[in-house]
Amino acid sequence: MNRGWIQEYCAGILALGMVGAGLGWAHEQASAQTSEQTSAQTSAQTTAQPPAAYQPKFPGDPARSESEAQALGYMRVVLRAESAYKKRHSEYADSLASLAGTGTFTKRMAHTTERGDYTASFRPNHDRANHDGFVLTMTPKKMDSDHRSFYAEEDGVIHGDDQKAADLDSPKVK
């Protein structure tokens, strides 16, 4: 083969590769700009629209917001896990970590007390004569009409309050 022809052939392949790379880069830049514009438009639309009203998750859902629904859901999981733990061990668990793996309560759920807009608190309650128990609370990071505080004990009744930290005397959440 002719050496000059091989060099021209290789130079042509190299040139095509460079053109392809340049086109790919240009396409990537155009996509990034389009993505930024779309993101900016979406952000502007999101900030211009008021938040959607809370849609209840089931008939009789007592939550007033998505955050409350998540907090109440977490409480229900803990309460069911405590009930199952009590049946298995004849006493209530003394920590969230002890509940991990009971029912649908996971190690990940026990790992942190930060639950979105809420902070969970759990403690054993041995204040009652001949009775062990626990206290579970969900305290909002910002209390307002969409973020009540919640309180529950071993009886499984959840109490809620939108004025102060919920306790046993707070109204029952339906």
Side-chain angles (χ1 to χ4, degrees), residues 30-44:
S31 293
Q33 285 178 341
T34 302
S35 177
E36 287 176 15
Q37 290 171 348
T38 302
S39 178
Q41 289 170 349
T42 302
S43 178

Side-chain angles (χ1 to χ4, degrees), residues 87-111:
K87 285 179 184 174
R88 187 176 300 136
H89 301 283
S90 300
E91 64 182 7
Y92 291 106
D94 60 356
S95 70
L96 290 175
S98 299
L99 285 177
T102 305
T104 58
F105 194 78
T106 65
K107 287 181 183 179
R108 184 173 181 218
M109 293 172 77
H111 179 69

Side-chain angles (χ1 to χ4, degrees), residues 49-161:
Q49 297 174 354
Y54 174 70
Q55 296 297 315
K57 306 292 183 227
F58 54 88
D61 182 359
R64 297 178 182 170
S65 66
E66 194 65 40
S67 293
E68 278 196 6
Q70 291 173 359
L72 289 167
Y74 177 83
M75 290 187 83
R76 289 183 193 105
V77 169
V78 172
L79 292 170
R80 281 192 301 269
E82 275 287 11
S83 177
Y85 189 95
K86 172 83 173 182
K87 285 179 184 174
R88 187 176 300 136
H89 301 283
S90 300
E91 64 182 7
Y92 291 106
D94 60 356
S95 70
L96 290 175
S98 299
L99 285 177
T102 305
T104 58
F105 194 78
T106 65
K107 287 181 183 179
R108 184 173 181 218
M109 293 172 77
H111 179 69
T112 181
T113 57
E114 295 301 311
R115 310 298 310 165
D117 291 344
Y118 283 81
T119 302
S121 173
F122 179 91
R123 66 177 171 80
N125 186 11
H126 301 291
D127 298 338
R128 300 166 189 228
N130 300 322
H131 185 77
D132 73 313
F134 62 91
V135 173
L136 172 66
T137 63
M138 294 296 285
T139 306
K141 294 176 182 169
K142 178 182 86 171
M143 193 167 316
D144 58 24
S145 61
D146 289 338
H147 297 88
R148 292 175 288 175
S149 62
F150 299 106
Y151 174 95
E153 290 185 357
E154 61 278 353
D155 64 1
V157 177
I158 300 174
H159 301 265
D161 203 312

